[in-house]
Each structure stands twice: as C-alpha cells, then as structure tokens.
Amino acid sequence: MKLKKLLALPLLCAGAIASASAQSSTDSSGSVPVAPLTRVRADAWGASVIRIDSAEIAQSTAPTFSELLQARRPGVRVFRSGGTASDGALVMLRGPTSVSGTNEPLLIIDGIRVDARQYDLALYSGTSVAPTRLDDLAPEDIDRIEVLSGPAAALYGEGASNGAIVVTTKSGDGGPLRLSGRVTWDASKMPAVFPANYGRSGVVNSSGTPTNSCSLLNQANGFCTPTQLNSWNPLEQASPFRVGNSARAHLEMSGKPLGTSIYAAVTADERQGTLPHDEGSRLGVRAKVRRLLPAHLSVEAVGSWLRDDARLDMNGNIATASNVIGAGLLGDVTNDANRGYNTFGTPGDSIYPDQRIRHATLGVTLGWQPVPWLDAAVMTGDDRVIGHWRNDQVGPVTNSSFTADTGYERNVQRTTGARLSASYHAGAAIGGTTELGWERADQRTTAPLLLFLEGNNPFLGAFRDRSTSFRVGEHVSVFDQLFATVAAQRLSAPVFNQDRSEWFPSANVSWTVPVRSAAVSDVRLRAAYADAAGSMSSLWALSGFVPFPQQRPLKMERTREEEVGLEATLGGAAHVSATAFRSRSTHLWVANELPPPGIYGCCLGAFDAQYAEMINSGLETSIATPLLVVRDIRWTGSLSLALLHNRVSSLIGPPEISAYGRIEQGYPLGGIWTVPYTYEDANQDGLIASNEVVIGQGAQYAGPALPTIESAFETEIELPGHIAFTAHFDYRGGNRVVNFTEAERCKFSICRDAVDPATPLDEQAAAVAAHQGPAGVEGYTRDAAFLRVREIAVHWTLPSQWSGPFGATPTITVAGRNIATWTNYPGLDPEVNSLRPSGLPRQEFLIPPLPRVLVVRLDIGRRD
C-alpha cells in the first residue's frame, strides 16, 4: 500500500471532528508555528518541527546565524562557501526541490518574510565570496528557532516547498527594565594545508639546451632528461596570511514596565579575515514592543536596522591578481622576485570589491480575542535590503572598463496577513478549531544584469513577484490524545506573467499513545501529507527568456511530501525521535540550449520549459540522553543522524550538461559525471606517457554532489563550581567534491603528481589525463566525507560576589571552532564551494579553507 494511503487511514477513522486547540499567536509555550499568525500545541501537530531553544542559542559561540544552524538537527543542511570573513552559507532542508531556482527555505522573523538569499552584488562584481542575508540576524537577538520541513511548512504559501525557518526574537520579560551584554573577541588562523608547487629542470634531448619544463610526462614522451626536482610553497613559505582579530559587542535592554513588554538591543562587530583585504563591519539595532490594549486587543511592533560594510577578497577568480590563493597555487616553483606568486600578467593590479548593505525591517501585529473561543489577528511587515558595490583599482589601471564600477541592488518584501479562528466543543471528549487565513507576499527586486560597462551605468533588471494565499483549516481532537488537522490553501501567483491559481491540500495526524512503563513512555505517533508551492521569485533570473509554447498550461512548481514519525521517552530519561519522508517535486523549470526534440519544434537560443520531476526521500533520527549523573556532575549528549537521497525522476529531452556535472533522469540533481580513462605502463619504465593513457568516450556517473549521510554529536558536562564543558562534532559523507584546484595545477604540470618521480603510477595517470583530456576528465573527483570538530568550549559562571550593576554574575567562555578535521579528501577543504551558492556539483577551486578560530567571550546578565 502506498505511503499516502497509509497516511489517509487515520484521518478517515478520526472523521471531521476532533481538536488541536489553536493558540494565540502571542502564546508560544509548548506550541509550534504551523502557518502565518498561527500556532498550535506541539503534541497536536503531526508534521516534523525542529526547535532550537534560547539556552542552546546562548551557549553557542557561533558568530553568525548560519553557523548557529550548522549540524544542530537532522535534515538541516548548512553548506559553507569558503573561509573568508564575509563568506556566507547555503541552507537547505532535507533536499533540493527545484532545478533552476534556489532551494533555500523561507526565513520568517517575527511573522515577516525577510531576505535570506546567499547571493548579492559580490557575485555580480566578479568575486566568488558570497555573503548571505541570513546572517544579518544576530544570534544574540534570537529567543528560539523553529525549523519546518516539508508538510510542516506547507501553509506558508509561495516558496513553502523549500521549508521554512521561523525565528522569534527576544521580548521583554517580566519586571523592570534591565541591561545585559556580551563582548566577544576571536582570532582566526588559516590551517597549513596548501600544497607546494613542483617543477623539474632538465636537458632537452634533441638540442641539449636546459629546460625548466621536464615534467614526468615530458620525460616519458622522450622530450627531456631531468636533472633537478624543485619545489616551493608560496602560501606557506612566503605566507600572505595573518591572524584575523575580530571583535563583537552586544548590549540589550528588556523588561515590562507599566505593562508594556520592551526589548531593545544594539550589536556591533568588526571582523577581520586571514587575508589582508578580507574585512568588514556590522552595526545592527533591533527592538520589539508588546502591550495589551483595551477592548481585548493586543499589539506587537518589531523593527530592525543593519549596516553591513565588507571588503571582499577575490578568491575563486583566476583572472585577477587579487586572488592571492590562486596566485600562490598556480605560481612558480622557486623563490623569485615575486616570492613564487603568479601575477597573471597584470603586475600590481588588484581589484577588491566593496559591498555596502542597508537592511531594514518593520512590522506590526494586532491581535483580538473578545471571548475565549474567538481569536483574530492581522499583521503587516516590510523588509528592505539596499546593496551598493564598488570595485576599487589599486595600482596601474590596465582596463578602462574596470574604473570605479558602481552598482546597486534593491530587494523589498512586503508581507500582509490575517487570521480568524473559532473554537468549539462537542461534549467532554471532542473539541476543535476552525480557522481562516489570508496572506499576501509582494517582492520587488532590482539588480544589475550586466556589469563593467562604460560610464559606470550598469544595465538594471527589475523583477516583481506577487502571491496571495487563502487557507481554511480544521483542527480537531478526541480525548486530548488523538489530533487531526486538515487544510486547503488556494494560492494565486504569476507564472512568467501568466496568472495562476492552484489548490494545495494538507493533512496530518498526531496520536499520543497511552503507554506508561519503566522502559517506554510519552509515545507519540504522527503522520503528515501536504502539497507545497515552489518559489517563483527564485526563478527571476530566467524571466528574460520567453517560454516556448507547451502542450499544457504553465503551472507553479510544487512538492508533494509525505512523512511518518515516532517520538518516545526511553527509561524515563532518553528522548528519541525518528521521521521517514518522501517528496515528489513536479512541474520543475529547466533552462537549456535547445528544446527537446519532437516536443516544442526546433528553434535556436536559450529557453525555459517545465519538464522535470524530482524525488527526495530519507530518514531523520535523534536521541538526547543523560550519559552520567553523579552528585554535582552531569553529563548529557545528543546524537542526530540523517540519511538523505535525491533523484531526478523525470526529464523530457536531453540532459543539461556542464563540466563535471549534469542533470539526467535517474540520477541525483547536479550529480558528478566524469570522462573515464585507462592507463598502462607498457614499457615498464615507471613513467606514464601520453600514448599510455586512453581517454574514454562520454561521461559516466561518479557519485552525488550532496551528502547522503549527515550526523552530529553534541555533549555537555556540568561540573561543580559552575563550570561546564561543551563539544559539537559534525560528520558528512556519501558524496564527492570536484578538486578542481588540483586538476588545474596538474594541467599546468606544477602539481606533485605531474613532476615528482616518486609519484605512484595511478596518480601519474590522473595528472596526464588532466593535462591532455577534456574538461571533466576523471581523476580529481574525490570522496568528500569528513568529521569536523565544530566547537569545544568551557563556560565558567563567576561567583555571586562578582555580580554588579547588571544584576547577574558574569560568565566567561573560551572556545575553539573548526579546530580539527579528519578526512581522506586530498584538497584544501571538502566543505567549501567556488560556484554560485546553489551551484552543483560543488567544486573546490582556489577557495581558502575554513580557518581555525579561538573565541573568548564575556556575558553579563545573560538571559537564556
């Protein structure tokens, strides 16, 4: 029997009556956010919702929101872009649901949709450094984080197929106004993982003249006789790196004077990376006010403003001398006048983009509850990001089109919503809530499409996406143990200027099983099904293409997901959770060069068409348990595991092909494909010649680009004297990464495999294949599994006599982040990616690895 049929059986048995007791949007105790302005009891919701509470947030030393999410919960995937100070991360829940669009979840902060993209003007201006607007939110301002994957996020309208991250910022607690603060200093250091440049000098056999290009391949081909092996490591022996010193300060005021809940905070940081031009600064202000009004009304107003200025290093761009990593890894083999660094033909020419961001958010929510059984709320919010970039020229100007380039990007999102719910009871056993909801999301984006034009006037492109959703839902319960929710959402949105309205149904069941024993208790079974809409705003880059006439009308991208889950307490202490899910994404847009043969006719030029489908499936499990409790010592730990699988299930027409990757039916999205080769040392001379390597025809599948196994382990040891140790480990595996850096080095015959006579034959063959083979040849796609120590920290709360004007004792934290990595990957770092944020397959190309970081922090008056 299919999974969705199994999910439907409990609903049919429950009927249309039972209750989930919807709560007010301002009451968050034991509840989860299931739709805009709507929260329900956590044990009454059958879809998986992950929660990160204030105590865990306060304890973490993660400097950014994206790093705070990393390896915290199963299925929450955070992919760092690189090791520079302003580099962001791509966040993905479970797996990709779009081919041509982005796959980031919605970010909802205090009910407002906010800009959370990991691309901006930095990418347009030629650098691969990709800051993320997700990190505009300071971790110090967050009260709790709730992550909704698949069916849990379905009622959030357009873009819900990617899931949603719902953030609630801090509010003023009871009592008079009081101050608390935090000061953090950290030092980052680049690990010594950079390979040396190799070269061999020799004598040309035909002429007897000396040469500096006597590689193993040239020797094997009979071109030269070697005389000397040379090596030099510019990035380590003439290191450009520094210890990056960064500082952060946070001051907040909270309380509830005269019945008004008030929270206000200011956060400032100066961040410095490990390269000379890698630096930035942020200044942010956030406030929230909440008050009960006459006539059973309540009001909440939130606002924030951020200024983020960054100087971006040009890592990943081989074409400019500003790429220090590339200049070293593609440099010389001797300590010459440039210390072995390659100048790429433009001596002294350096370009470092400046990025200036202004991010402001403002929202108001009005609640009304005239009687206990009737509840209503309306809200409106505005999120605005304005970005400016400028490329400064350092040194002689070599190209007039690069002179003082300027540009800007503007992204405005407006969210408006309303909700009306009514509760009822049918006897002592049955109760329920009927809810109506409405939301309108309006996004306007203006961005440069073409840059580096004369006159400093880049061509601007504008895009607008508007969607309106109306939902009706029924929450029911029986004996306060069996809960069911059914809902239907009508979503209206333009699909490439064609207005569309489609229905998206959802349903879920939660059953608290009456099991009470010493071995098992608090058992809850849950199941959920939902259709969720994709994000048209993420496809705005395709809006310049004209879709070809299709045999069926254009539709929104959508994902149908089903899941079943179990939660229980074992032995009265250990809490376990498991969720199995399967999703099918349909009507996916794919950009390609030519239309599928026999489908749309024959035309030249790029086009878009809806002809792909994709399946994600997996298992998410976690266990949290005390490991040791002895007097004043308490040791706890939690382990999470996610097994994730992705497959393009349908693709009409030819596959979309790129170097090392393609989109092809039956394989993971963006899977790694390589051209095979064979080799044989036919003359047994210990060298691989050109004619001893045979390049195959066509590419073969090599493995998935995204991890299929993800696991995290967190532990805490509380000791006497108010001392606590915490540790956080992160494992990922089952995927491969293209070591494009080493492939290019071997193509230029400066890697060890191409020069050192001690190189094994298989590695020599890989270097020869890279040197003479096509793009995407096999040999430098490697297993990317790794185990990383994300954080080890010690926290010491000082004795009570140290309490001062803040009214609480200080806490000192000393931590190390990214301090060790175990991997068989031979490149710089298996985690970084030099492509655009969502680009697959992931490639490591001239990108610095994640630095090791020492953190020292002082909290005064900390509020968990």
Side-chain angles (χ1 to χ4, degrees):
M1 185 179 294
K2 293 184 178 180
L3 182 58
K4 63 182 181 181
K5 292 183 178 179
L6 290 174
L7 296 177
L9 288 177
L11 286 176
L12 294 175
C13 296
I17 48 174
S19 97
S21 180
Q23 299 184 358
S24 165
S25 61
T26 60
D27 178 14
S28 61
S29 177
S31 65
V32 292
V34 302
L37 296 171
T38 301
R39 302 186 70 93
V40 303
R41 282 174 47 177
D43 63 350
W45 188 246
S48 174
V49 177
I50 293 172
R51 181 175 176 129
I52 303 175
D53 61 21
S54 59
E56 186 175 357
I57 296 168
Q59 193 178 62
S60 171
T61 62
T64 62
F65 182 55
S66 60
E67 291 179 82
L68 176 64
L69 292 174
Q70 198 159 41
R72 292 285 172 183
R73 298 294 188 274
V76 182
R77 319 175 79 176
V78 180
F79 301 101
R80 293 286 299 277
S81 291
T84 58
S86 295
D87 246 330
L90 170 68
V91 177
M92 183 185 299
L93 305 182
R94 292 183 172 170
T97 62
S98 181
V99 173
S100 298
T102 58
N103 289 286
E104 297 101 328
L106 299 174
L107 179 62
I108 313 293
I109 302 179
D110 294 324
I112 305 168
R113 289 187 179 220
V114 303
D115 190 348
R117 298 166 301 163
Q118 198 219 348
Y119 63 94
D120 49 28
L121 294 165
L123 292 179
Y124 296 115
S125 57
T127 176
S128 65
V129 177
T132 172
R133 301 279 61 84
L134 193 76
D135 291 337
D136 290 350
L137 177 63
E140 291 86 354
D141 287 326
I142 302 173
D143 181 61
R144 66 183 177 275
I145 303 168
E146 288 152 315
V147 181
L148 288 68
S149 299
L155 297 178
Y156 278 87
E158 184 185 349
S161 63
N162 294 330
I165 299 175
V166 180
V167 177
T168 302
T169 61
K170 292 179 180 177
S171 301
D173 51 9
L177 291 174
R178 64 184 183 94
L179 294 174
S180 60
R182 168 181 289 179
V183 178
T184 306
W185 168 84
D186 66 63
S188 56
K189 182 179 181 181
M190 188 61 62
V193 295
F194 297 96
N197 299 330
Y198 284 83
R200 279 204 306 175
S201 55
V203 177
V204 178
N205 292 337
S206 61
S207 63
T209 58
T211 179
N212 291 324
S213 301
C214 194
S215 64
L216 295 177
L217 179 60
N218 285 340
Q219 179 188 357
N221 290 340
F223 171 75
C224 62
T225 300
T227 57
Q228 182 177 344
L229 177 66
N230 302 307
S231 68
W232 175 252
N233 194 327
L235 293 173
E236 293 188 5
Q237 294 176 272
S239 174
F241 300 108
R242 63 185 177 183
V243 175
N245 291 283
S246 302
R248 185 182 185 95
H250 174 82
L251 180 65
E252 65 183 54
M253 176 182 65
S254 65
K256 197 173 183 180
L258 304 175
T260 301
S261 174
I262 297 175
Y263 173 83
V266 58
T267 306
D269 71 42
E270 290 284 341
R271 57 191 186 274
Q272 188 182 77
T274 57
L275 286 167
H277 294 276
D278 181 17
E279 54 196 24
S281 64
R282 281 193 182 102
L283 176 64
V285 178
R286 182 170 293 274
K288 178 188 287 187
V289 178
R290 180 187 297 165
R291 184 177 177 84
L292 295 176
L293 302 175
H296 307 285
L297 295 171
S298 64
V299 64
E300 178 181 276
V302 296
S304 67
W305 176 85
L306 174 83
R307 184 197 70 200
D308 183 6
D309 295 335
R311 184 78 157 165
L312 303 177
D313 187 80
M314 296 287 286
N315 293 302
N317 189 337
I318 192 175
T320 173
S322 303
N323 184 351
V324 178
I325 304 297
L329 292 175
L330 301 177
D332 207 340
V333 299
T334 60
N335 186 14
D336 57 12
N338 292 323
R339 304 302 307 275
Y341 286 91
N342 194 328
T343 61
F344 296 109
T346 53
D349 187 9
S350 300
I351 303 171
Y352 296 96
D354 278 323
Q355 176 190 259
R356 303 187 301 277
I357 294 291
R358 301 296 181 265
H359 192 168
T361 306
L362 181 65
V364 178
T365 301
L366 184 67
W368 181 54
Q369 192 170 13
V371 290
W373 56 269
L374 184 63
D375 187 19
V378 295
M379 65 83 59
T380 184
D382 208 53
D383 182 74
R384 296 173 179 262
V385 177
I386 299 176
H388 296 267
W389 58 264
R390 176 186 176 91
N391 277 347
D392 289 341
Q393 187 72 31
V394 181
V397 176
T398 60
N399 188 331
S400 61
S401 65
F402 284 160
T403 305
D405 298 304
T406 59
Y408 76 93
E409 178 184 25
R410 181 191 300 269
N411 189 70
V412 180
Q413 296 191 71
R414 177 164 295 168
T415 308
T416 308
R419 172 185 57 81
L420 176 65
S421 63
S423 303
Y424 59 87
H425 293 275
I430 299 174
T433 300
T434 301
E435 180 179 281
L436 301 177
W438 173 86
E439 184 185 36
R440 183 177 178 85
D442 190 343
Q443 177 180 348
R444 298 170 183 255
T445 299
T446 304
L449 298 180
L450 300 175
L451 303 181
F452 304 140
L453 299 180
E454 297 290 346
N456 306 321
N457 293 313
F459 176 74
L460 297 179
F463 174 79
R464 184 177 185 182
D465 178 59
R466 292 167 292 177
S467 65
T468 302
S469 64
F470 173 78
R471 68 182 186 274
V472 56
E474 184 74 16
H475 309 276
V476 292
S477 72
V478 179
F479 293 110
D480 207 34
Q481 289 182 337
L482 179 63
F483 305 90
T485 301
V486 292
Q489 179 179 220
R490 182 70 169 177
L491 180 63
S492 301
V495 181
F496 291 104
N497 298 319
Q498 297 185 27
D499 291 335
R500 289 286 303 172
S501 293
E502 299 180 26
W503 284 101
F504 294 86
S506 61
N508 66 78
V509 163
S510 174
W511 179 32
T512 302
V513 184
V515 175
R516 296 287 176 183
S517 69
V520 181
S521 60
D522 301 320
V523 178
R524 185 166 75 99
L525 303 177
R526 47 185 173 79
Y529 155 83
D531 274 12
S535 173
M536 288 305 300
S537 63
S538 68
L539 297 170
W540 72 270
L542 301 179
S543 61
F545 299 128
V546 178
F548 278 73
Q550 304 194 61
Q551 296 175 344
R552 54 187 178 183
L554 301 181
K555 293 186 177 182
M556 303 178 198
E557 294 190 341
R558 70 163 57 205
T559 297
R560 175 172 299 176
E561 187 157 354
E562 302 135 350
E563 69 173 46
V564 292
L566 165 70
E567 296 177 11
T569 300
L570 304 180
H575 180 77
V576 298
S577 175
T579 301
F581 70 90
R582 186 179 188 275
S583 71
R584 180 169 175 254
S585 302
T586 60
H587 307 119
L588 303 183
W589 287 84
V590 178
N592 217 321
E593 292 301 319
L594 292 174
I599 300 297
Y600 306 113
C602 179
C603 299
L604 297 177
F607 84 109
D608 308 324
Q610 286 187 282
Y611 61 90
E613 297 181 359
M614 188 159 46
I615 291 176
N616 286 282
S617 60
L619 175 67
E620 301 167 349
T621 64
S622 65
I623 179 171
T625 181
L627 299 174
L628 177 67
V629 179
V630 179
R631 295 185 180 179
D632 294 333
I633 300 176
R634 179 177 175 84
W635 180 21
T636 60
S638 65
L639 177 68
S640 66
L641 173 68
L643 305 176
L644 304 164
H645 177 70
N646 168 261
R647 177 170 60 90
V648 177
S649 57
S650 177
L651 184 66
I652 302 175
E656 181 178 309
I657 301 174
S658 62
Y660 289 106
R662 63 172 59 191
I663 301 171
E664 184 156 322
Q665 182 173 324
Y667 295 92
L669 178 69
I672 296 179
W673 292 70
T674 58
V675 178
Y677 64 87
T678 59
Y679 72 93
E680 180 185 7
D681 184 12
N683 58 8
Q684 300 296 311
D685 64 350
L687 299 173
I688 300 297
S690 296
N691 60 3
E692 294 176 329
V693 173
V694 179
I695 306 296
Q697 298 295 319
Q700 296 180 356
Y701 176 66
L706 297 175
T708 58
I709 304 173
E710 297 186 357
S711 182
F713 176 68
E714 298 179 74
T715 187
E716 179 179 6
I717 303 175
E718 299 178 9
L719 300 175
H722 304 286
I723 296 176
F725 289 91
T726 58
H728 189 184
F729 300 84
D730 181 11
Y731 172 81
R732 299 182 203 172
N735 67 308
R736 300 178 73 83
V737 168
V738 179
N739 188 356
F740 200 64
T741 298
E742 201 65 8
E744 288 296 296
R745 282 165 43 83
C746 290
K747 183 178 293 185
F748 296 135
S749 297
I750 59 174
C751 71
R752 175 185 174 275
D753 296 352
V755 178
D756 190 346
T759 301
L761 292 179
D762 60 335
E763 296 179 15
Q764 286 188 46
V768 173
H771 180 79
Q772 64 187 33
V777 72
E778 184 184 5
Y780 292 95
T781 60
R782 302 298 173 88
D783 179 15
F786 68 85
L787 173 64
R788 175 161 275 161
V789 182
R790 290 292 177 192
E791 178 182 290
I792 293 181
V794 57
H795 314 265
W796 178 36
T797 301
L798 276 61
S800 57
Q801 55 265 34
W802 287 84
S803 62
F806 287 89
T809 55
T811 298
I812 297 175
T813 300
V814 179
R817 294 185 58 80
N818 300 322
I819 58 178
T821 303
W822 294 275
T823 180
N824 291 324
Y825 177 73
L828 302 183
D829 195 320
E831 190 173 351
V832 301
N833 184 23
S834 59
L835 298 179
R836 60 186 175 88
S838 58
L840 294 175
R842 295 175 66 82
Q843 297 183 11
E844 181 245 289
F845 182 55
L846 309 181
I847 293 291
L850 302 186
R852 295 170 180 154
V853 184
L854 171 67
V855 181
V856 179
R857 188 176 76 191
L858 173 65
D859 285 282
I860 302 177
R862 188 178 77 179
R863 180 170 65 98
D864 294 347

